[in-house]
Every structure is written in structure tokens, then in C-alpha cells.
């Protein structure tokens, strides 16, 4: 599983594929105040990106991958 | 090789076969529309499937073939022999690529030339018949690069660039780099195609600025469809155009790429405050600019910057002014324009200066210009055109908020459409409608324009009944676009709910072996019952075992039957290649041949069918080459010009009979006789006495087929011994009948299945042996007194015929006399070997059994006298004799 769901935190790890998008959306529906952590994430599939953009959750930590951060930061801040 | 590729290969072969067949059928019925449609569908599906893999040569050729077939289907190109030849050649090429893929898993790079050549040839056919090559916009990719909609930079949405980034890009731009604005709108279904637009967007090199827009149509999270892409990616990049085009080569229609002029980046932003700068200062700097006192100018501006707050809009202008002065000192007009904006505090309008600089609009690709009148346009294009226009109309009638971009994109689509059909005079009116729409911020003006213009361009509008159909089609297409294969299936209805299962033959063989062992294991039960009764004396148990045996026996037999049926294949499997072969060979030889296939549904075991394939090809080739005469010769002897070749399969009890009949010149026994004599195959006395039929049969003799014989032999004879041995290997027989001048009939008789062999068990010298039932004519008991000796050979007279008698013990070289029964009679098996009856003396007859004959391997494999071995129910091994070799 590329996304690890903790109480109110979704930790993205490595490559998060298209198959995780639906679960992510459901998680946000159950945890509207859920936060995200991208520290070890290198890429998220576009389907996850649009979920994140729709939700705009608070980001606990940005990705160590600079390029990914460049993309995500303006979108989720 | 992955399973997807494997499946593609197996399906593709079916398609190639299908294409070949349809082309053949078209040859006799060139106007058949269903055939044409079917053919197109084959090519179309094959092309689509090939696109899943990275075989550009294959896809390219198939694509060209598809276009050609589409043209044929729509009547734009007439079907012709050359066209069929070209298509067949293309399919052969695809077939050869597939062979290569099967072996190496990829295609070599050396096919590029062939592929290009074939593609060109196909395209040439398309164009030769139709001067207008109309690229069909829907579902085809553009060969000539990216068809990017032309948008000028001024139509771009406002970019919210940080000043530092903008300044950097401006400098890059002035330094000669090209800055591209790239908007990538993935299609909603792209996730189903395995695409990751975000990943693709991240691959764009040298991105200076990036943004993603979410066009979320649903209000709540619950309504959101995560699997439908609603993203739009926007970027500024200084990557070269080639690199971008390469990156987006699969989705060229989903990106807009616009070159941005340097000055477009000069866009001050910040808090506006009318009090910030007074006119005196502005006049002062403008004067300094005019006087070309740059250093003073810079100093003045810097002082002003220090005095005012950096967030102010005016400060931003001043910072930009410094940049301009630094980077483009000669461009006074630009600097002046920028500084002048300080007065009104409105963004600088660069359009005039950019036009002055003669920067043309960046149209990446110009649509191939099609110089035709609308009346000459093909139906397809017209339909496509209308579909696009109707869609735009639908979009315009949708409610919701209307952003400028949405209106612009519709206008751009309309412009593109009208440009493509050369209706250039409409362009202006579209543009004015767009302006009106933009000011009103409503879609009405565009919609009005569409409705009016459609009325004025009558020829483009479908009749009232047809139009709604198209619209509804479009709606359904949108829903299921990602299921293209299903769509294809629905169209034909043939593939729907396929009940066929493709299984590896190894698995079937394994299953058959297991069932075979099951049958053998089951046979052990009667022995067990016997032992229970005789050795242990429990009669009841024996009875129960027997009852159980009956049940298991029934199931096992049914299993065996079923697996046999699974292995059965129709002979059409080998017949289907004949039309093409006959066509090719007859064309090459300049003969006219009509091929008739009969009984294609006749079934036989897969191994038999496969063993039959090579001999049959050989025979057919011989028939064409040596049997049938040239058209003029046929005319001279009073036959019809077209030779007839009949291949017929039929079932005769448990055998398959295949006949190959031609009405050619037949085989002259005289020539055969003399050739055989010359070769030393027969001696002089045989030459004198041999009957015509026997002479004809000589063509099967080994060594008869040599090169010099073929060249002047009027009949066939090429490798016929090979044919015979191949047929005999699967327990088949082959025969030939011929009449000079009338034709030749060749027949093959083969067992339906060779998995189960029925053998008779005999006993000799205290051992048991099996003899295949199919060669046993009868079993008789010959009294000792009836055996006569002719020289050293024993014989007897049976029903008025002299039958030679051989002792099995002698044949097996065990020096023991055969045992007669109490009445001094010898058990004799009458066998048919090589067309003659032979009696074999044995000690005793036993029962007949069905066994699974396993050929012997290893050292034992060299024992020609045995055809194999089988396990009996009690676990003992039964050796099965091969009388053909033994005698």
C-alpha cells in the first residue's frame, strides 16, 4: 500500500498509483480534517492529484523530491 | 513474453487469416458490402491492438491498410487485383513481423524501410483513385506532426507568474531561448488507458512555471469521479519544440503549445496606489529616456524604488523598467510604453509592439491544406464535420458559468473546422461572434452564429432525420470510449459473449495422459475383485468392487470421449490456407484454377490434422504444377480454360478420407514405368507385366522423386514417398488413381484419433503381445493338415485364396514351435499388410482392449518391430507389434 492511513494522517510513500485514488477519496470523506504527509513520496498518479486538489488538505510535510514539491506546493497551499 | 503480447499474437494470426480469406472472397464478389465491412473491421481491430505495443512498423503499415480499406468501404477507391495484392503483401509483412516478435519478443530495426515502402504503396493506391486525401480527424493520429490549435499568445489566460520567474523567462527569451506555453488537457478517460498525465507533465524538461487546474464539476466529494480526469496542466518551459512533440507524441491532440514573445512576460503586478508616483517623476524619466541618459535614468529609478514600498504596482513597473533598460537597451518604445503605464496604472499593452517586431503567430503545424469544394468532400468528412459542429452546439447550449477560455476554445474549434473545409470567409464572422460573446460573457452570440451559418451552409447539414442519430451516437460514444474492444464486439455481434477458450495444447495433452492413466488404473479394479473372491474369499466385497467399477468405468469412458472431442479439430484448419496458396501458385504459373473445398467441417484429432498439413500442401502443389495444364493447352484438348481442383474431406466410420481431385492431364503409366525402370526400381520382367494402376502407384516408391524426373515427368511424383511416410506415421494410407487426359484422384485415409488404439491381445511363447485391430482382417483356426509348404514357406488356402503363413515365434526369432490347440488347429491372425493378406500363427487369441499406446523411447525406440507399449489393468506391460515392419 503506497498510502498509509493513520488516525487523521495519510502518509504517502514512494509511488502512489491510480488504484489508491478511490480509497483516498473515501478516506477524506470519512476524515474531512485529514492531513497529508509527502515526505517519502516520489510521485502520485494524476487521479490522486485531483483528489488532493479537490480536498486541499493541510500538508504536514512536503516531499523530499524537489520537483514533486514544486508541483504540489502551489496547488495545495 | 507477457501474456498480453501472447494473446495479441494469437489473435492477430486469426485476424491475418481472416483478412486473407475475406480478400479471397472479395475477389469473386468485389462489390459485396458486408465482406468489405468485415474486412475493414479486421484490419481496424488489428491496427488498434497493435497500437498497444511498441511496434511502430506494424502499426504504420496497418494504419495505411486501414485507411485504404476505409476508402474502399466507402466507395472512394475501387477494389482491384493490385489492391488485393498490395494488401496481401502488407499482411505478409505483418505476419513476418509477428514471427519475429514470437521468437525475439520485439521487432528488429531493419524493417523500417520495408514498412515505409509498403505504407507508401498503400497510400499511393489511396491517392491514385482519389486525388483528395482527406485526413479523417476522428480516431486517426496525424502523421505529419502535431495538429495543435493555433492560439496566439494574447489569447492566453492571465499568467500569475512571480516577478522573479517572469524576469528570468524574459531574459531567457531575449537571449534566444524559445519559451513555450503548454496547456495539456488529458482526455477524461485517459486513466483507463493506463496513462498518468501528471507523470507525463512532470517529464517536461526545463519547466519554469507549472500549474494544474481542477475542472471539478461535482460539488461534493462524494460525487467526484476519481477515475475521470478533470485536470488541466499548464506550464511554461524553455524545452525545444522537438522534445515536447516527442514527449506528447501519443496525445498530440491534447496539448496546446504556444510560443511566447519576450515582452509578454513584462507584466508588472502589485498593489495599486494612485498616489505613489507623480507625473513629474514620470515626465522626468521619459525625458531622460529620450535623451538617452541611461545612467541617470537608472539612478533616478533606483532612488524612487528605495523610497516606495516594494509591493506597490508602480515599484514593479520600475523594476521591470530596469530590466528592460538592462536587457534591451535599444528597445526604447517598449521602455516608453512601460513607463507610461505608471500614469494610468493599467497593464502595458504589448500587442502593438509585438506586432511591430513582426513576430508571427506561432502556428506549430499548418493543417494540410485541402483545396476542394465542399460539394466534393467525402461523406465521411462531411459527417465528421457535422459531428464536431453539433458537439459545439451542444456545449454552447449547456448551462453553467462561462469563462472566457471556454468560449475561446469553442471558437477555436469552429475556426479549425471551417478552415479545414476551406470556408475561410466564415473565419471573420466567428471571430466577431466570439468578441461579442466575450463582452457579454455568454454563449448566445456564438450559438446564434452557429444556427445562422448552418442555415446558410445547407450542404453541410444533414437531413433532419439523420442529425439526431449522430448526436445520440456521440453521446453513447462518450460513455464507453474507453471500452473500444467492447464497442467492436457490439458492432459485429459475433464476438459477443465468446464461449471459446484458448488453451495451451500441453495442458490438453497432460489432461489426456492423466485420463489415460485413470483408464488404466480403473482396469485394475476387476483384478482386485477377482483377488478378493479367489484369494481372500470375500464374495460380497468382490461384488461391491465390481459395482463400483461399473460406475468408474462409465465416468472414465465419458472423460475419455470428451477429451477426444476437445482435441478434435475441423480440417478447415489446414484447408483454409489453400485458397491463398492456390491463388499464388496459379498466378505464378499463369494457370487458371478454380479451387473447390468440400467437407471443411469434418473433424479429426489435432495431431492427425497437423500431420496432414505438409503432405496435403505437397500434393496440392504437385497438382497445380504438374497436373493442371496451361489455359491454351486445355483449350486445345477441349477442356474449359479454368482447371478445377477439388479438395474434399469426409468421414468414413472411424477414418477421415481426404481426396484431392484435379481435372488435369493425369499420370501416364508408360512414362512412370520407364522412369522407374531407368532408376532401377523395377526389373525388366516387372516392366513387362506391371498393371497400369501398379505403375501409377510407383510414384510413391522411395527414390522415385529426383530432380530430372520432375522436369520431364508429365505427372506428379515430387516427394510422394515423403507424403506416404508422413501419412503412414499416423496410421494412414494413401492411394492414387489416374486417367490420362482426364485427371488424377489422390486419397488419404486417416484414423480419426490416434490417442486410443484398439489392439487384440495374442499369446505366443508364453508371452502376450498386442496387434493393432485396424490391420486384423479376421482370426481363424487353421488345422495342421491344411497347411501346405511351398518351398520353405508355409501357406494355406483360405476362401479360395492362397495366404502365406508366418509363425510369430519365427518373426521374433525365438526358436520355438507354435502350439496348436487340442484339435491340432493353429490360431491364425489374418492381417492386411501393404495391401496383401498375411496369416500369422500364434499360440492363442485373447481379448481386445483399448489402450493408450506410448511410443518407445531411447534404446527401445530403435526396435522397429514394435510400435509401442501400453500398460494393462493388472499393471503388466503389453508390447504392441508393428506387423508392417515385422514382416
Amino acid at each position: 500500500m503506497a498510502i498509509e492511513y493513520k488516525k487523521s494522517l495519510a502518509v504517502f510513500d514512494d509511488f502512489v498509483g491510480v488504484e489508491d485514488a478511490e480509497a483516498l477519496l473515501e478516506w477524506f470523506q470519512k476524515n474531512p480534517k485529514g492531513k497529508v504527509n509527502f515526505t517519502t513520496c516520489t510521485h502520485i498518479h494524476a487521479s490522486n492529484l485531483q483528489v488532493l486538489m479537490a480536498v486541499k488538505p493541510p500538508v504536514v510535510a512536503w516531499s523530499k523530491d524537489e520537483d514533486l514539491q514544486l508541483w504540489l506546493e502551489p496547488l495545495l497551499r | 513474453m507477457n501474456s498480453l503480447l501472447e494473446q495479441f499474437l494469437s489473435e492477430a494470426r486469426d485476424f491475418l487469416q481472416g483478412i486473407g480469406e475475406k480478400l479471397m472472397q472479395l475477389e469473386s464478389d468485389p462489390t459485396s458490402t458486408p465482406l468489405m465491412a468485415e474486412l475493414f473491421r479486421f484490419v481496424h481491430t488489428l491496427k488498434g491492438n497493435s497500437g498497444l505495443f511498441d511496434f511502430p512498423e506494424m502499426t504504420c503499415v496497418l494504419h495505411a491498410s486501414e485507411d485504404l480499406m476505409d476508402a474502399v468501404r466507402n466507395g472512394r477507391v475501387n477494389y482491384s487485383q493490385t489492391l488485393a495484392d498490395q494488401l496481401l503483401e502488407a499482411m505478409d509483412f505483418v505476419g513476418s513481423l509477428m514471427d519475429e516478435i514470437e521468437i525475439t519478443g520485439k521487432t528488429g530495426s531493419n524493417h523500417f524501410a520495408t514498412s515505409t515502402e509498403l505504407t507508401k504503396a498503400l497510400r499511393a493506391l489511396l491517392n491514385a483513385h482519389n486525388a483528395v486525401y482527406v485526413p479523417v480527424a476522428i480516431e486517426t493520429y496525424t502523421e505529419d506532426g502535431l495538429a495543435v490549435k493555433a492560439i496566439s499568445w494574447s489569447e492566453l489566460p492571465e499568467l500569475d507568474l512571480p516577478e522573479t520567474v517572469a524576469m528570468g523567462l524574459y531574459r531567457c527569451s531575449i537571449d534566444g531561448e524559445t519559451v513555450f506555453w503548454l496547456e495539456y488537457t488529458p482526455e477524461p478517460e485517459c486513466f483507463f488507458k493506463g496513462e498518468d498525465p501528471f507523470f507525463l507533465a512532470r517529464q517536461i524538461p526545463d519547466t519554469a512555471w507549472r500549474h494544474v487546474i481542477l475542472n471539478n464539476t461535482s460539488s461534493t466529494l462524494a460525487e467526484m469521479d476519481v477515475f475521470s480526469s478533470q485536470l488541466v496542466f499548464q506550464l511554461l518551459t524553455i524545452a525545444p519544440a522537438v522534445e515536447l512533440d516527442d514527449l506528447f507524441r501519443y496525445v498530440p491532440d491534447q496539448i496546446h503549445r504556444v510560443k511566447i514573445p519576450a515582452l509578454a512576460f513584462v507584466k508588472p503586478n502589485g498593489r495599486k496606489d494612485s498616489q505613489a508616483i507623480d507625473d513629474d517623476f514620470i515626465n522626468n524619466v521619459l525625458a531622460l529616456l529620450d535623451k538617452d541618459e541611461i545612467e541617470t535614468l537608472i539612478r533616478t529609478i533606483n532612488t524612487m524604488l528605495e523610497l516606495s514600498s516594494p509591493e506597490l504596482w508602480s515599484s514593479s513597473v520600475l523594476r521591470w523598467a530596469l530590466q528592460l533598460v538592462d536587457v534591451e537597451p535599444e528597445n526604447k518604445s517598449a521602455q516608453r510604453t512601460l513607463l507610461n503605464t505608471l500614469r494610468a496604472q493599467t497593464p502595458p499593452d504589448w500587442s502593438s509592439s509585438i506586432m511591430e517586431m513582426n513576430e508571427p503567430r506561432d502556428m506549430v503545424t499548418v493543417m494540410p491544406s485541402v483545396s476542394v469544394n465542399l460539394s466534393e468532400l467525402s461523406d465521411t468528412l462531411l459527417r465528421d464535420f457535422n459531428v464536431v459542429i453539433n458537439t459545439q452546439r451542444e456545449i454552447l447550449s449547456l448551462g453553467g458559468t462561462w469563462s472566457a477560455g471556454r468560449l475561446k476554445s469553442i471558437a477555436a474549434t469552429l475556426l479549425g473546422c471551417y478552415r479545414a473545409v476551406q470556408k475561410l470567409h466564415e473565419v471573420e464572422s466567428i471571430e466577431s461572434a466570439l468578441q461579442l460573446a466575450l463582452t457579454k460573457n455568454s454563449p448566445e452570440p456564438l450559438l446564434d452564429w452557429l444556427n445562422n451559418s448552418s442555415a446558410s451552409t445547407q450542404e453541410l447539414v444533414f437531413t433532419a432525420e439523420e442529425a439526431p442519430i449522430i448526436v445520440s451516437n456521440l453521446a453513447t460514444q462518450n460513455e464507453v470510449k474507453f471500452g473500444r474492444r467492447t464497442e467492436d464486439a457490439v458492432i459485429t455481434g459475433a464476438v459477443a459473449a465468446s464461449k471459446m477458450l484458448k488453451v495451451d495444447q500441453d495442458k490438453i495433452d497432460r489432461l489426456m495422459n492423466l485420463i489415460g492413466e485413470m483408464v488404466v488404473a480403473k482396469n485394475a479394479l476387476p483384478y482386485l475383485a477377482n483377488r478378493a473372491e479367489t484369494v481372500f474369499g470375500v464374495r460380497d466385497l468382490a461384488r461391491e468392487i465390481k459395482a463400483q467399477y461399473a460406475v468408474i468405468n462409465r465416468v472414465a469412458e465419458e472423460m475419455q470421449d470428451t477429451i477426444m472431442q476437445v482435441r478434435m479439430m475441423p480440417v478447415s484448419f489446414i484447408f483454409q490456407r489453400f485458397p491463398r496458396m492456390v491463388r499464388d501458385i496459379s498466378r505464378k504459373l499463369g494457370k487458371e484454377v478454380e479451387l473447390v473445398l468440400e467437407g471443411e467441417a469434418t473433424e479429426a484429432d489435432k495431431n492427425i490434422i497437423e500431420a496432414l498439413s505438409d503432405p496435403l500442401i505437397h500434393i496440392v502443389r504437385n497438382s497445380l504444377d504438374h497436373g493442371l495444364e496451361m489455359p491454351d493447352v486445355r483449350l486445345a484438348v477441349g477442356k474449359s480454360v479454368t482447371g478445377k481442383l477439388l479438395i474434399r474431406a469426409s468421414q468414413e466410420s472411424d477414418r477421415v478420407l481426404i481426396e484431392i481431385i484435379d481435372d488435369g492431364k493425369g499420370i501416364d503409366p508408360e512414362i512412370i514405368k520407364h522412369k522407374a525402370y531407368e532408376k532401377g526400381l523395377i526389373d525388366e520382367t516387372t516392366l513387362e507385366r506391371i498393371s497400369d494402376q501398379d505403375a501409377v502407384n510407383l510414384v510413391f516408391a522411395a527414390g522415385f522423386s529426383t530432380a530430372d524426373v520432375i522436369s520431364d515427368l508429365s505427372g506428379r511424383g515430387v516427394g510422394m514417398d515423403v507424403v506416404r511416410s508422413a501419412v503412414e506415421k499416423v496410421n494412414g494410407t494413401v492411394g492414387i488413381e489416374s486417367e490420362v487426359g482426364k485427371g488424377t484422384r489422390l486419397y488419404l485415409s486417416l484414423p480419426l484419433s490416434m490417442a486410443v488404439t484398439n489392439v487384440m491381445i495374442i499369446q505366443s511363447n508364453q508371452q502376450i503381445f498386442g496387434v493393432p485391430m485396424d490391420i486384423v482382417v479376421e482370426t481363424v483356426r487353421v488345422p495342421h493338415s491344411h497347411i501346405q509348404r511351398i518351398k520353405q514357406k508355409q501357406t494355406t488356402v483360405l476362401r479360395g485364396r492362397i495366404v502365406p503363413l508366418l509363425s510369430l515365434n519365427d518373426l521374433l526369432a525365438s526358436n520355438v514351435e507354435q502350439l496348436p490347440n487340442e484339435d491340432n488347429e493353429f490360431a491364425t491372425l489374418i492381417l492386411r499388410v501393404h495391401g496383401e493378406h498375411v496369416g500369422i500363427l500364434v499360440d492363442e487369441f485373447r481379448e481386445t482392449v483399448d489402450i493408450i499406446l506410448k511410443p518407445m523411447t531411447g534404446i527401445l525406440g530403435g526396435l522397429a518391430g514394435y510400435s509401442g507399449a501400453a500398460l494393462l489393468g493388472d499393471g503388466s506391460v503389453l508390447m504392441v507389434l508393428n506387423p508392417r515392419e515385422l514382416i
Side-chain angles (χ1 to χ4, degrees):
Chain A
M1 190 93 172
I3 307 180
E4 195 188 333
Y5 297 102
K6 297 180 179 172
K7 251 186 203 167
S8 65
L9 180 71
V11 182
F12 286 62
D13 182 39
D14 200 20
F15 186 100
V16 181
V18 64
E19 62 279 0
D20 292 314
E22 201 162 22
L24 182 65
L25 183 65
E26 278 169 18
W27 185 79
F28 275 125
Q29 284 169 19
K30 282 186 209 141
N31 303 278
K33 288 187 179 162
K35 297 172 186 166
V36 286
N37 180 341
F38 292 114
T39 315
T40 53
C41 182
T42 52
H43 181 72
I44 59 172
H45 188 274
S47 52
N48 296 297
L49 178 66
Q50 61 183 21
V51 172
L52 288 170
M53 285 178 70
V55 178
K56 284 201 192 283
V59 179
V60 175
W62 295 102
S63 171
K64 280 187 210 155
D65 184 318
E66 277 176 31
D67 182 62
L68 184 65
Q69 185 179 353
L70 276 176
W71 276 95
L72 294 181
E73 220 181 313
L75 301 175
L76 302 180
R77 181 139 276 180
Chain B
M1 202 188 295
N2 65 38
S3 57
L4 188 63
L5 183 57
E6 256 173 47
Q7 195 183 352
F8 164 69
L9 286 176
S10 92
E11 278 182 8
R13 289 204 191 283
D14 290 350
F15 278 124
L16 282 185
Q17 186 61 50
I19 291 167
E21 264 172 33
K22 295 286 170 259
L23 277 173
M24 294 299 132
Q25 290 171 17
L26 267 180
E27 217 150 73
S28 52
D29 186 9
T31 51
S32 161
T33 326
L35 272 178
M36 216 72 99
E38 187 87 333
L39 185 57
F40 171 76
R41 191 182 65 82
F42 279 157
V43 180
H44 169 75
T45 316
L46 189 55
K47 185 211 86 177
N49 290 356
S50 79
L52 290 173
F53 307 96
D54 194 19
F55 306 135
E57 291 92 355
M58 189 188 287
T59 314
C60 202
V61 169
L62 284 170
H63 187 221
S65 313
E66 185 197 14
D67 283 352
L68 184 57
M69 277 322 300
D70 188 42
V72 174
R73 189 179 58 154
N74 292 322
R76 279 184 283 139
V77 174
N78 289 329
Y79 180 86
S80 67
Q81 291 258 311
T82 32
L83 189 143
D85 283 343
Q86 201 61 56
L87 273 175
L88 281 173
E89 202 172 309
M91 292 312 133
D92 284 347
F93 171 69
V94 172
S96 72
L97 282 182
M98 271 189 290
D99 291 341
E100 194 175 326
I101 293 163
E102 201 150 24
I103 298 163
T104 62
K106 56 184 172 24
T107 53
S109 51
N110 48 336
H111 300 296
F112 185 71
T114 330
S115 129
T116 331
E117 220 167 87
L118 281 169
T119 314
K120 259 193 208 152
L122 289 167
R123 293 251 182 256
L125 275 171
L126 190 63
N127 294 336
H129 291 76
N130 191 349
V132 194
Y133 167 51
V134 190
V136 181
I138 287 171
E139 253 204 286
T140 54
Y141 55 81
T142 48
E143 281 94 341
D144 9 59
L146 303 174
V148 180
K149 263 184 248 160
I151 318 177
S152 84
W153 63 273
S154 53
E155 289 168 45
L156 291 178
E158 290 283 311
L159 300 182
D160 188 20
L161 286 180
E163 197 172 281
T164 43
V165 175
M167 281 181 180
L169 285 169
Y170 166 69
R171 273 175 177 275
C172 278
S173 215
I174 296 294
D175 290 348
E177 301 261 21
T178 316
V179 181
F180 283 113
W181 154 262
L182 197 89
E183 187 174 271
Y184 168 36
T185 317
E187 56 177 339
E189 298 86 28
C190 67
F191 296 164
F192 292 98
K193 298 180 178 171
E195 289 172 16
D196 182 358
F198 185 34
F199 187 77
L200 192 57
R202 284 186 66 187
Q203 301 308 305
I204 300 168
D206 304 324
T207 313
W209 176 85
R210 47 187 82 60
H211 186 58
V212 187
I213 299 168
L214 178 69
N215 286 327
N216 197 355
T217 44
S218 50
S219 48
T220 65
L221 278 185
E223 283 172 30
M224 183 170 175
D225 180 5
V226 285
F227 295 120
S228 149
S229 171
Q230 300 150 11
L231 299 169
V232 180
F233 296 85
Q234 297 176 330
L235 305 111
L236 284 171
T237 171
I238 52 170
V242 192
E243 222 166 289
L244 293 176
D245 291 353
D246 186 51
L247 200 58
F248 287 94
R249 64 190 179 282
Y250 294 114
V251 286
D253 51 332
Q254 295 169 14
I255 63 161
H256 292 173
R257 174 161 62 72
V258 180
K259 193 168 148 188
I260 303 203
L263 279 177
F265 293 111
V266 184
K267 207 176 271 178
N269 52 27
R271 187 161 50 84
K272 292 189 182 172
D273 185 351
S274 53
Q275 300 301 309
I277 302 227
D278 57 17
D279 283 357
D280 288 351
F281 173 79
I282 299 169
N283 290 336
N284 188 16
V285 285
L286 284 173
L288 284 171
L289 191 65
D290 286 341
K291 279 184 260 169
D292 211 7
E293 290 176 23
I294 301 302
E295 277 179 34
T296 329
L297 177 73
I298 294 174
R299 220 173 23 247
T300 319
I301 293 178
N302 273 330
T303 320
M304 192 64 193
L305 273 173
E306 276 167 32
L307 288 173
S308 47
S309 159
E311 299 101 63
L312 282 179
W313 195 80
S314 52
S315 308
S316 177
V317 175
L318 292 175
R319 282 193 294 271
W320 272 110
L322 286 176
Q323 280 287 331
L324 254 69
V325 171
D326 183 32
V327 181
E328 273 186 300
E330 299 83 35
N331 196 347
K332 297 277 183 227
S333 70
Q335 294 161 21
R336 203 170 296 123
T337 317
L338 182 65
L339 288 171
N340 267 322
T341 58
L342 286 171
R343 292 183 208 272
Q345 302 228 347
T346 50
D349 176 16
W350 296 114
S351 47
S352 54
S353 10
I354 290 167
M355 289 302 170
E356 265 169 44
M357 287 156 68
N358 205 11
E359 287 232 22
R361 281 178 158 205
D362 179 54
M363 287 177 66
V364 182
T365 333
V366 182
M367 285 290 280
S369 76
V370 190
S371 50
V372 277
N373 291 328
L374 275 179
S375 50
E376 286 173 27
L377 284 173
S378 74
D379 287 351
T380 331
L381 185 71
L382 208 59
R383 200 168 58 232
D384 293 341
F385 178 87
N386 274 318
V387 167
V388 176
I389 297 296
N390 278 327
T391 316
Q392 301 312 313
R393 189 176 290 138
E394 270 185 80
I395 295 172
L396 284 170
S397 351
L398 292 173
T401 50
W402 283 87
S403 61
R406 210 165 155 194
L407 290 169
K408 278 176 190 163
S409 86
I410 291 173
T413 312
L414 293 176
L415 280 173
C417 283
Y418 279 85
R419 271 201 200 107
V421 298
Q422 296 287 300
K423 286 230 143 205
L424 290 174
H425 53 275
E426 303 284 4
V427 170
E428 258 176 55
S429 57
I430 296 177
E431 271 168 0
S432 59
L434 172 66
Q435 288 311 319
L436 203 60
L438 283 176
T439 42
K440 281 188 180 176
N441 201 21
S442 102
E444 301 282 305
L446 276 171
L447 196 58
D448 286 348
W449 179 88
L450 251 185
N451 290 336
N452 292 336
S453 83
S454 304
S456 65
T457 51
Q458 274 296 329
E459 65 270 57
L460 280 174
V461 183
F462 271 90
T463 52
E465 302 93 82
E466 272 172 288
I469 300 170
I470 291 159
V471 174
S472 65
N473 273 349
L474 198 77
T476 43
Q477 261 175 23
N478 282 343
E479 278 167 34
V480 291
K481 220 174 206 165
F482 51 85
R484 279 244 331 249
R485 291 174 57 89
T486 357
E487 205 177 81
D488 284 347
V490 171
I491 291 168
T492 58
V495 206
S498 169
K499 284 168 87 181
M500 300 301 274
L501 197 62
K502 288 202 171 179
V503 185
D504 195 346
Q505 201 198 330
D506 287 351
K507 289 182 187 162
I508 298 285
D509 286 346
R510 188 167 151 64
L511 183 60
M512 195 176 72
N513 284 339
L514 285 173
I515 291 175
E517 279 178 38
M518 169 88 188
V519 169
V520 170
K522 158 210 88 175
N523 284 345
L525 284 179
Y527 288 92
L528 184 65
N530 207 19
R531 267 169 66 83
E533 195 171 334
T534 54
V535 181
F536 302 104
V538 245
R539 181 169 288 227
D540 286 348
L541 182 62
R543 198 181 303 124
E544 267 176 48
I545 292 176
K546 275 181 187 158
Q548 275 305 311
Y549 168 73
V551 176
I552 295 174
N553 189 37
R554 183 170 51 82
V555 177
E557 272 174 10
E558 222 161 283
M559 267 162 62
Q560 206 172 347
D561 237 39
T562 317
I563 194 75
M564 289 304 155
Q565 274 167 22
V566 169
R567 289 178 55 89
M568 288 291 205
M569 272 171 75
V571 288
S572 61
F573 177 74
I574 34 176
F575 277 18
Q576 65 190 4
R577 63 183 79 167
F578 288 133
R580 173 81 196 272
M581 201 186 98
V582 169
R583 175 188 185 276
D584 285 358
I585 295 180
S586 58
R587 186 77 56 91
K588 211 181 287 168
L589 295 171
K591 293 178 181 174
E592 284 179 35
V593 182
E594 182 200 350
L595 175 72
V596 182
L597 297 175
E598 280 180 18
E600 286 166 283
T602 313
E603 287 192 323
D605 189 90
K606 186 170 190 287
N607 285 351
I608 305 277
I609 296 283
E610 276 167 0
L612 204 62
S613 136
D614 281 346
L616 262 185
I617 289 177
H618 214 102
I619 295 169
V620 170
R621 204 176 281 156
N622 269 344
S623 272
L624 291 170
D625 199 2
H626 306 298
L628 295 166
E629 311 93 326
M630 298 298 283
D632 45 342
V633 180
R634 288 183 66 90
L635 262 186
V637 297
K639 292 183 188 174
S640 69
V641 177
T642 311
K644 191 173 169 186
L645 184 65
L646 170 69
I647 305 179
R648 180 199 293 151
S650 53
Q651 192 177 339
E652 273 184 6
S653 66
D654 62 342
R655 295 183 84 79
V656 185
L657 187 70
I658 295 183
E659 295 163 281
I660 302 96
I661 304 166
D662 68 55
D663 64 347
K665 57 191 157 194
I667 301 173
D668 189 346
E670 286 305 314
I671 298 177
I672 302 279
K673 264 192 256 178
H674 285 99
K675 280 290 166 192
Y677 175 60
E678 275 169 35
K679 289 272 150 198
L681 292 173
I682 49 173
D683 53 28
E684 215 161 321
T685 45
T686 324
L687 178 67
E688 294 302 321
R689 284 183 310 161
I690 194 167
S691 72
D692 281 358
Q693 178 59 47
D694 288 346
V696 171
N697 278 339
L698 280 173
V699 296
F700 291 119
F704 189 79
S705 58
T706 54
D708 62 343
V709 181
I710 308 165
S711 57
D712 51 3
L713 183 71
S714 60
R716 50 205 61 164
V718 188
M720 276 305 191
D721 61 323
V722 181
V723 170
R724 187 175 68 159
S725 58
V727 171
E728 280 180 357
K729 207 179 273 174
V730 290
N731 282 328
T733 53
V734 56
I736 192 165
E737 285 166 11
S738 182
E739 205 173 324
V740 180
K742 288 264 178 71
T744 310
R745 171 175 175 265
L746 238 149
Y747 54 92
L748 311 175
S749 167
L750 299 143
L752 276 182
S753 157
M754 49 183 223
V756 168
T757 320
N758 191 228
V759 295
M760 177 170 212
I761 298 181
I762 47 144
Q763 194 181 333
S764 186
N765 193 18
Q766 289 161 358
Q767 294 174 57
I768 54 167
F769 298 98
V771 179
M773 275 300 275
D774 54 347
I775 60 165
V776 176
V777 180
E778 60 179 325
T779 55
V780 288
R781 292 195 184 267
V782 182
H784 193 264
S785 54
H786 285 205
I787 297 178
Q788 271 111 35
R789 284 190 172 266
I790 300 177
K791 292 189 180 168
Q792 296 300 309
K793 307 276 164 100
Q794 298 181 342
T795 53
T796 188
V797 177
L798 198 68
R799 286 186 257 283
R801 285 175 68 164
I802 298 175
V803 177
L805 294 177
L806 297 164
S807 143
L808 185 60
N809 285 347
D810 284 353
L811 290 173
L812 294 174
S814 51
N815 205 6
V816 183
E817 285 289 314
Q818 298 296 154
L819 297 175
N821 65 359
E822 301 89 48
D823 301 332
N824 209 13
E825 290 170 337
F826 287 100
T828 309
L829 273 178
I830 307 295
L831 306 179
R832 184 178 46 233
V833 180
H834 298 313
E836 282 177 48
H837 287 188
V838 182
I840 306 279
L841 299 180
V842 297
D843 288 357
E844 194 52 71
F845 301 127
R846 300 272 284 268
E847 72 274 25
T848 63
V849 284
D850 280 343
I851 51 146
I852 304 225
L853 187 61
K854 305 263 183 206
M856 290 194 285
T857 52
I859 299 171
L860 291 176
L863 295 175
Y866 296 97
S867 54
L871 270 184
L872 286 180
D874 61 353
S876 60
V877 175
L878 177 73
M879 301 296 283
V880 178
L881 299 171
N882 183 358
R884 283 194 188 90
E885 293 288 332
L886 209 55
I887 297 166

